[in-house]
Amino acid sequence: MTDAQKTAAETTDTTLRATGDSPPDPRPAPVPLLEPREGIPPVTATEEALAEVVAAFAAGTGPVAVDAERASGYRYGQRAYLVQLRREGAGSVLVDPVGCPDLSALGEAIGDAEWVLHAATQDLPCLRDIGMVPTRLFDTELAGRLAGFARVGLGAMVENVLGFALEKGHSAVDWSTRPLPEPWLRYAALDVELLVDLRDALEEELAQQGKLEWARQEFAAIAAAPPPPPRKDPWRRTSGMHKVRRRRQMAVVRELWTARDQVAQRRDVSPGKVLGDAAIVEAALSLPPNSHALAGLPGFGHRMGRRQLEQWQAAVDRARALPESELPQPGQPLNGPPPPRAWADKDPAAAARLSAARAAVTALAENLNLPQENLITPDTVRRLCWEPPAEPTRETVAEVLSGHGARPWQIEQVAPILTEALLTDAG
């Protein structure tokens, strides 16, 4: 038992409260966690220092707590600017991926040990970029969801499960800052201080609820998932895009988005700091004929220089000059069923199946005390209801669910209720 677990056990023996409607909590106030157990570790920023870390983690034992800090909203892309790790026998380390851009040796030193992360899918892409890829993992956020916790942020989980209060306030700072201030480093080290303790407590809770195997299947799926493919037409995700209806206006959004992305990448800053989405949409709706008219639009104010205005106006002009055949189509080709709101008109029987399926999934998720989207993804339910097997049976439904990536535990739970929903009569 670690120091943290001993303290938590002394604090209360009823720490796990999964639902928001539990009886009044008799626990004492959480114990503030102000300093890492061994103090704030030095930042590893040289190859020599990294070699020592690699050796220490290779000699360590048990799971490895892993976290990464990005500079979202400040820098272009989602690269890691600090990586925190902790392992029994090695302690905590803070690694600077700017000074040490290749951490593959550290990943190899960890080997097939289990990684413990919170919200793993957020950190795995940037960790993969620097050579760190787990073979096994435990996601404490996902474990909390499966266990039915109402609040699954790291701070809330540590407080509810272990009885400690983590320091807050530095999650959204610019982690590309160098040197990193000491309070930020303390915050970063504390993020991995209790991850393994939290993992152990959640594993026990999941086992008591009969959900541990479910969690293991989910974790295995995350670890085995390939990197996501590049997003098609990312400009279509511009905030406020729903206001843009005409194809010429869409072309303006595309040209401005592309020009902004090139500037942001060249300057290594967040695209939103170059030009806001709202400004792009305003220009698309207005189709300004010149930079003077552009300057009068929201987001292109007096602080924007003449060269910048001309740059954005050039993008607008390119869109205005495009022939009709090169204008973007209104909406992406559908890969799957249409939006559910259109089902009643297009296929009333499918709409009835979907309504019955949604109601059944909602009821089962409530009974199992976990979020509906973790029981089965809404997209999978829609695809099944839009194109059901010719003869809906538990076996044929299970085959369709598996084809859409559902895990065995999910199929076992939902195949019976979804089979029944598919037999719903539209009349």
Side-chain angles (χ1 to χ4, degrees), residues 78-117:
Q78 294 295 317
R79 66 171 293 184
Y81 283 95
L82 189 70
V83 177
Q84 310 99 280
L85 304 99
R86 182 175 180 84
R87 191 179 196 185
E88 186 71 28
S92 295
V93 297
L94 303 175
V95 182
D96 179 4
V98 177
C100 303
D102 182 3
L103 299 187
S104 55
L106 181 55
E108 292 169 4
I110 295 171
D112 63 353
E114 180 185 80
W115 290 28
V116 184
L117 304 103

Side-chain angles (χ1 to χ4, degrees), residues 253-294:
V253 173
R254 182 176 64 186
E255 292 295 331
L256 281 171
W257 188 99
T258 302
R260 178 185 70 173
D261 194 67
Q262 293 169 348
V263 172
Q265 188 169 10
R266 185 174 69 248
R267 290 170 47 191
D268 190 19
V269 296
S270 168
K273 288 189 175 295
V274 175
L275 186 67
D277 280 10
I280 290 178
V281 171
E282 285 290 340
L285 296 176
S286 300
L287 290 171
N290 51 54
S291 58
H292 179 73
L294 181 67

Side-chain angles (χ1 to χ4, degrees), residues 3-353:
D3 294 341
Q5 288 172 318
K6 290 176 182 176
T7 305
E10 293 167 359
T11 303
T12 178
D13 60 358
T14 57
T15 53
L16 294 176
R17 293 202 179 276
T19 60
D21 54 352
S22 301
D25 193 344
R27 293 177 296 173
V31 179
L33 194 65
L34 303 178
E35 289 287 337
R37 273 169 257 185
E38 299 93 15
I40 303 173
V43 177
T44 299
T46 66
E47 292 304 319
E48 295 77 14
L50 179 61
E52 295 181 10
V53 168
V54 169
F57 273 75
T61 58
V64 181
V66 184
D67 191 22
E69 305 295 348
R70 300 176 297 279
S72 304
Y74 297 93
R75 295 289 183 174
Y76 185 86
Q78 294 295 317
R79 66 171 293 184
Y81 283 95
L82 189 70
V83 177
Q84 310 99 280
L85 304 99
R86 182 175 180 84
R87 191 179 196 185
E88 186 71 28
S92 295
V93 297
L94 303 175
V95 182
D96 179 4
V98 177
C100 303
D102 182 3
L103 299 187
S104 55
L106 181 55
E108 292 169 4
I110 295 171
D112 63 353
E114 180 185 80
W115 290 28
V116 184
L117 304 103
H118 193 80
T121 54
Q122 294 183 19
D123 288 340
L124 288 179
C126 70
L127 290 167
R128 182 183 290 113
D129 289 343
I130 53 178
M132 297 190 67
V133 182
T135 56
R136 295 189 298 132
L137 64 84
F138 189 107
D139 186 334
T140 50
E141 183 196 54
L142 181 52
R145 292 184 186 278
L146 294 175
F149 282 84
R151 297 165 60 223
V152 293
L154 180 59
M157 294 292 290
V158 167
E159 183 173 323
N160 290 336
V161 176
L162 300 177
F164 287 94
L166 286 176
E167 182 185 356
K168 301 176 183 178
H170 298 304
S171 60
V173 299
D174 181 2
W175 287 96
S176 68
T177 301
R178 293 296 183 273
L180 286 164
E182 182 175 294
W184 299 11
L185 296 175
R186 179 183 297 107
Y187 166 90
L190 289 173
D191 265 3
V192 292
E193 183 80 5
L194 298 178
L195 266 183
V196 174
D197 301 74
L198 182 60
R199 173 233 179 273
D200 292 345
L202 288 172
E203 182 177 64
E204 183 178 344
E205 176 70 10
L206 288 167
Q208 290 178 357
Q209 294 188 22
K211 299 176 180 176
L212 184 55
E213 176 56 27
W214 301 1
R216 287 173 175 159
Q217 291 180 26
E218 293 297 310
F219 302 156
I222 294 173
R231 185 173 282 144
K232 184 181 179 183
D233 292 347
W235 58 270
R236 291 184 184 272
R237 297 176 65 87
T238 302
S239 180
M241 190 68 191
H242 63 281
K243 303 176 186 176
V244 181
R245 304 293 178 85
R246 292 158 48 195
R247 293 175 63 202
R248 183 75 57 186
Q249 295 172 332
M250 292 179 186
V252 173
V253 173
R254 182 176 64 186
E255 292 295 331
L256 281 171
W257 188 99
T258 302
R260 178 185 70 173
D261 194 67
Q262 293 169 348
V263 172
Q265 188 169 10
R266 185 174 69 248
R267 290 170 47 191
D268 190 19
V269 296
S270 168
K273 288 189 175 295
V274 175
L275 186 67
D277 280 10
I280 290 178
V281 171
E282 285 290 340
L285 296 176
S286 300
L287 290 171
N290 51 54
S291 58
H292 179 73
L294 181 67
L297 299 177
F300 300 91
H302 61 279
R303 290 187 296 175
M304 188 170 286
R306 182 171 62 86
R307 287 185 61 185
Q308 286 179 295
L309 283 170
E310 290 175 349
Q311 171 183 250
W312 304 132
Q313 184 60 43
V316 175
D317 291 343
R318 287 194 296 271
R320 291 169 63 95
L322 285 174
E324 288 285 329
S325 60
E326 295 182 21
L327 296 178
Q329 295 299 320
Q332 297 169 288
L334 282 173
N335 178 23
R341 62 179 178 273
W343 287 30
D345 292 331
K346 290 179 177 290
D347 189 338
R353 292 193 294 266

